[in-house]
Amino acid sequence: RRFAREAIFRVGVQIVEGTARAERCGPALADIAETVISGLLPRTEDALAQSAGRIAGGGFAVVAMGKLGGREMTASSDLDLVFVYDMPEGTEASDGPRPLAPTTYYARLAQRLISALTTPTAAGTLYEVDMRLRPTGNKGPVAVSLESFAHYHASESWTWEHMALTRARLVAGPKELRDKVAAEIRRRLTHPRPAGDILYDARQMRARMAETFPGKNPFDLKYAPGGLVDIEFIAQALQLVHAQDAPEILETNTVAALHKLNEAGFLKDEDTATLVASAQLQHALTQALRIAVDETPNIEEATAGLKALLARAAEMGSFAQTQARLAALQRDTRALFVKLLGG
């Protein structure tokens, strides 16, 4: 906890002082989170093994989703995680003095890792953990077998879950299992499906999201029309549409995905330039806001210091220029959402 809090604080200082470009902060914060996860997992496994032993030949992998998967974290991001395990066929129990059935064993391991990441101590807190992107969501087991993971995404998951999988990235666990899980994710993302269905589902989901989170003002950068969700939906939906023919476009980071779509000929140069500029500006402003305030600001009441911070993060000469640039890019982004996804 001391390590993580100090490291995150250093990143925040660099953002505030303008000594690091905002686009470098997301990957830096993701590196910190991955270091924490990969450091805690073997210790958590060792603690469980003291009583339950181990599953011979088994493995447990951590899949990062959302902002961690896309390496777009902010100082206040939680961790979207999925836990997948695998073991030899016929395994009945762990080999310790208090053996556990495999499903129970890996559920306990997952719960212990979540506790290690979330429990407040005298040294502070680490992260909040969000498990809603696991198969069957909050109703499902906290850890799933590789077989169940593959079956669920092949036969039961919805388009929005496949869109979320475009940001899935393996961050901890045995290499052999990580490779198996990554291969299964790639298999799902390159599976043929009707393009019209993908685009329709993406539009419908975005419309429902807008009803729940309408975007308070242009600085509600995630949900505002033309904000980050619109850009992410464009990148994710287009990857699902075209990955069966061009799997090389798959990329967990939104900006990198837009560039790959462009290089493969699925996104025009001018559209790519607009979306990348919009994403970079809004990511930069998000980094600054997550450090400075706890909620979306009423920008009319923002202090001079906050406005100066936002202008510096945006690399603009003044806050008025920042506002104008943001408004123009959000307008153009929303128009591209309608153009590219239809509706």
Side-chain angles (χ1 to χ4, degrees), residues 227-342:
L228 291 171
V229 166
D230 280 0
I231 302 170
E232 291 165 5
F233 271 41
I234 290 169
Q236 293 166 13
L238 292 184
Q239 284 181 89
L240 289 185
V241 168
H242 298 295
Q244 58 185 298
D245 300 316
E248 68 275 9
I249 65 175
L250 292 175
E251 170 61 54
T252 61
N253 178 268
T254 302
V255 169
L258 293 170
H259 283 302
K260 286 191 174 184
L261 286 163
N262 172 247
E263 291 164 4
F266 301 126
L267 200 56
K268 293 180 179 179
D269 289 349
E270 59 270 27
D271 295 345
T272 304
T274 296
L275 292 171
V276 168
S278 183
Q280 289 177 334
L281 174 62
Q282 296 191 74
H283 278 306
L285 294 172
T286 299
Q287 292 289 357
L289 284 172
R290 291 297 176 269
I291 293 169
V293 294
D294 293 328
E295 57 186 21
T296 301
N298 179 348
I299 213 62
E300 302 303 323
E301 299 175 358
T303 65
L306 177 58
K307 291 179 179 179
L309 173 62
L310 293 173
R312 184 160 58 246
E315 299 183 348
M316 304 294 289
S318 69
F319 180 71
Q321 291 175 323
T322 303
Q323 277 186 298
R325 179 67 170 158
L326 176 63
L329 285 172
Q330 286 182 337
R331 181 190 65 239
D332 294 345
T333 297
R334 186 60 194 173
L336 283 173
F337 180 94
V338 174
K339 169 187 163 183
L340 296 169
L341 300 192

Side-chain angles (χ1 to χ4, degrees), residues 60-234:
F60 180 91
V62 181
V63 186
M65 309 284 283
K67 289 187 179 298
L68 175 56
R71 295 177 62 78
E72 298 165 358
M73 289 187 68
T74 69
S76 62
S77 292
D78 58 12
L79 305 182
D80 292 290
L81 301 178
V82 173
F83 302 130
V84 181
Y85 63 87
D86 196 22
M87 61 198 166
E89 189 174 351
T91 301
E92 294 183 357
S94 59
D95 58 11
R98 297 179 181 175
L100 296 172
T103 53
T104 304
Y105 181 92
Y106 287 114
R108 294 268 181 90
L109 178 56
Q111 289 161 351
R112 282 173 175 258
L113 181 57
I114 292 171
S115 293
L117 289 165
T118 60
T119 301
T121 73
T125 58
L126 275 172
Y127 298 98
E128 295 297 320
V129 172
D130 190 335
M131 300 292 297
R132 287 176 294 179
L133 292 177
R134 69 186 188 269
T136 67
N138 287 334
K139 299 177 182 178
V142 69
V144 296
S145 68
L146 176 58
E147 181 181 6
S148 296
F149 180 86
H151 174 76
Y152 177 80
H153 283 294
S155 60
E156 297 181 45
S157 58
W158 298 72
T159 298
W160 71 264
E161 293 174 284
H162 292 158
M163 290 171 63
L165 275 184
T166 64
R167 306 181 82 180
R169 192 165 55 84
L170 277 294
V171 296
K175 184 179 186 307
E176 182 179 359
L177 178 55
R178 283 188 282 125
D179 290 344
K180 287 181 180 180
V181 178
E184 182 55 41
I185 291 170
R186 190 176 184 85
R187 189 176 297 115
R188 283 303 100 217
L189 295 179
T190 56
H191 183 74
R193 67 196 86 196
D197 291 352
I198 295 171
L199 299 180
Y200 174 81
D201 289 348
R203 292 196 306 270
Q204 292 295 105
M205 182 168 57
R206 182 65 182 101
R208 289 195 296 271
M209 189 178 291
E211 292 175 358
T212 307
F213 305 103
K216 299 176 182 178
N217 61 58
F219 282 86
D220 192 348
L221 299 163
K222 182 175 181 178
Y223 296 114
L228 291 171
V229 166
D230 280 0
I231 302 170
E232 291 165 5
F233 271 41
I234 290 169

